[in-house]
Amino acid sequence: MRAIALELFTEQGYELTSLTQVARRAGVTRQAVLHHFANKEELLTSSYEELLPALDVIIEPARARPPSAAARMRAIEQFDALVRGEHGASLVCAQVNKHALRGLTAARTLQRRLNDLTRALAAAEGPEGTMRGRLALAAVIMAAARGRELGGRQAERHRAALAVARSLIGAEDASPVADVPGRSRSEP
């Protein structure tokens, strides 16, 4: 039932999906859904509660400061496995419905964990490191969420996402400031 709900939340949006639609697609009555979940927020929350411990397993080893390139690479590969596995639908749903879900406690908790992972992936302090970490996570989720737009087979998209993510978090000395004419690396 959760898988069906996540699929519908992703396809048509969390706000536009009713428990009746979830029940219909699951081939059960609305009352059967309500027997397990009081409302759609509880249904979504149950998926996120299963995801959070899996994220923590990735985040904790990657939190060392400064994070090694190997630890960052391992974390992004583990995150990719999470997205390709049983929790991928929860992560894709969270990304697709980010604005609609921001008022939900479970979604805020998930976002905090993703922020922790972003910081763990950051090779550098400050906005650039954070941006690289966030974009690396987004690339991995995009491979699962935007298949039609990206083309190729799922395995090809995930290989490409990992390559992009690795380039974002693994380039220790890359700095866009050095590419700006007339500026040195030390200038903000």
Side-chain angles (χ1 to χ4, degrees), residues 4 20 24 42 54 58 82 87 101 107 146 151 163 166 168:
I4 290 168
T20 301
R24 192 175 307 128
E42 191 175 292
I58 298 170
L82 200 66
H87 299 296
L101 300 177
R146 304 282 184 212
R166 285 182 186 122
L168 287 163

Side-chain angles (χ1 to χ4, degrees), residues 58-70:
I58 298 170
I59 296 166
E60 286 310 314
R63 279 194 169 155
R65 285 286 168 214
S68 71

Side-chain angles (χ1 to χ4, degrees), residues 42-150:
E42 191 175 292
L43 179 56
L44 182 66
T45 297
S46 71
S47 294
Y48 287 177
E49 286 172 349
E50 286 190 7
L51 167 62
L52 294 174
L55 271 175
D56 289 339
V57 168
I58 298 170
I59 296 166
E60 286 310 314
R63 279 194 169 155
R65 285 286 168 214
S68 71
R72 290 191 313 275
M73 297 302 180
R74 200 169 25 261
I76 201 68
E77 288 166 357
Q78 290 172 324
F79 185 74
D80 180 66
L82 200 66
V83 170
R84 286 184 290 126
E86 68 180 289
H87 299 296
S90 295
L91 289 160
V92 170
C93 178
Q95 181 68 32
V96 170
N97 290 286
K98 189 174 185 173
H99 297 291
L101 300 177
R102 68 177 165 229
L104 303 182
T105 301
R108 285 193 307 269
T109 301
L110 175 59
Q111 191 57 53
R112 279 194 299 274
R113 291 298 207 307
L114 291 172
N115 289 341
D116 290 344
L117 183 53
T118 295
R119 284 189 293 279
L121 292 174
E125 296 294 325
E128 182 180 340
T130 302
M131 194 176 298
R132 286 175 176 273
R134 176 69 69 203
L135 289 170
L137 294 178
V140 171
I141 293 172
M142 184 186 299
R146 304 282 184 212
R148 287 187 207 138
E149 295 168 33
L150 297 173

